[in-house]
Amino acid sequence: LYRERALAAYRSGWPLALHAIGDAAIDLALDLIEEAQKSYGRHTAPCRIEHFGIARPDQVRRAGDLAIAVTPQAGFIGPLGDQIVDLVGTDREPWLYRGRSVIDAGAILAGSSDLPVADNNLRRGMQSAVDRRTDTGFVLGSNEAITPEEALRTHTEWAARATGQIDDKGTLERGKLADFAVFSSSPLTAPNISEIDVVATILGGNLTHDARPTR
C-alpha cells in the first residue's frame, strides 16, 4: 500500500519526500524513488529523503546517482549526538547525519531544524554542521564536516533547490522574492555561527523584525 501510494503521488506530478532514518528505511526510500523515476521520468523538483540519519556509503552514492535531496538535521548533533552514538555503536557512528559525503556524491544537502525534536535555532545547526561537536565535545563523524559557506547554502540556495523553489528564492537576485535575514556578523567568518544575532528580517520586501537599537 505504501509503495502504491508513493508511486501514485509521483505519477500525479508530486516529487516524493520520504522520511527515513535507519539504513533499512533508507533502502526502501531509495528503491521507491528509483522505481518512480524509471517509470515516470524525473520531475523538475527533486525527490527528497528526510533525515537520512544512518546512511551507508553505498546509499550516499546512490542518492547522488538519483540526484535527490537529503535533509539530515545537523542540529541533532549537539543535544542528541552522544545518545545516538551509544545506541548505534561506534561502527556506524561515521554514517550518522552526514554532510561532506552527501555533497561530494552530488546529492543536494538541505538544512532543517526538525522542530520540535530540536530547537529552531538554525545558526546552531549550521555551526554543528561545521564542527560536528556533541554537547560533551565529541566530534561525530569528523570526515562529514562542511564549510561555513556550505552550511549557509544548506538553508538558502540548496534548501530552495531541494523544494523546487530556486527560481523564486534561495539567493539574492533580481526578480526573486525579497525574503532574507540580516545578521550581526557574517556566518562565513564568525568564530561561532550559533552566537550571531538576528538583527532584522525582511519578508516580501517588508521589515518584519527589527532588533536594532532605537535612537
Side-chain angles (χ1 to χ4, degrees):
L1 182 60
Y2 182 71
R3 171 181 171 275
E4 292 173 357
R5 288 182 175 179
L7 293 178
Y10 190 87
R11 186 175 62 248
S12 298
W14 293 94
L16 299 178
L18 307 176
H19 286 236
I21 294 178
D23 56 330
I26 293 172
D27 276 333
L28 174 59
L30 290 169
D31 287 345
L32 288 172
I33 290 171
E34 182 172 10
E35 181 178 359
Q37 291 183 168
K38 285 183 176 178
S39 298
Y40 307 111
R42 293 190 178 183
H43 295 332
T44 302
C47 291
R48 184 173 88 246
I49 297 180
E50 193 72 21
H51 306 306
F52 206 67
I54 310 173
R56 303 187 310 267
D58 63 291
Q59 293 175 321
V60 176
R61 291 192 295 269
R62 193 176 175 196
D65 291 341
L66 294 171
I68 67 172
V70 301
T71 315
Q73 283 73 27
F76 287 178
I77 294 173
L80 301 176
D82 295 301
Q83 177 185 4
I84 296 171
V85 171
D86 287 342
L87 292 171
V88 306
T90 55
D91 290 345
R92 290 188 291 177
E93 177 260 320
W95 302 355
L96 293 170
Y97 295 94
R98 292 174 176 271
R100 172 87 273 136
S101 61
V102 171
I103 297 171
D104 291 346
I108 300 170
L109 182 68
S112 164
S113 70
D114 205 46
L115 185 76
V117 176
D119 64 59
N120 65 341
N121 184 346
L122 301 183
R123 291 154 292 158
R124 186 184 64 77
M126 288 165 58
Q127 181 62 39
S128 292
V130 172
D131 64 28
R132 307 283 303 183
R133 290 193 179 278
T134 69
D135 283 353
T136 65
F138 175 73
V139 178
L140 190 157
S142 59
N143 291 335
E144 294 297 334
I146 64 177
T147 68
E149 180 180 336
E150 290 167 335
L152 180 60
R153 289 182 186 275
T154 63
H155 289 290
T156 54
E157 178 191 353
W158 296 345
R161 293 189 186 280
T163 53
Q165 301 179 85
I166 191 61
D167 289 341
D168 296 320
K169 59 180 67 174
T171 58
L172 293 175
E173 298 180 66
R174 184 183 297 273
K176 290 192 175 185
L177 297 173
D179 300 345
F180 58 92
V182 180
F183 293 154
S184 59
S185 59
S186 171
L188 305 183
T189 57
N192 191 322
I193 302 170
S194 65
E195 296 176 354
I196 296 174
D197 292 326
V198 178
V199 176
T201 58
I202 290 84
L203 181 65
N206 297 312
L207 187 67
T208 53
H209 169 72
D210 188 354
R212 293 174 298 177
T214 57
R215 295 181 179 180

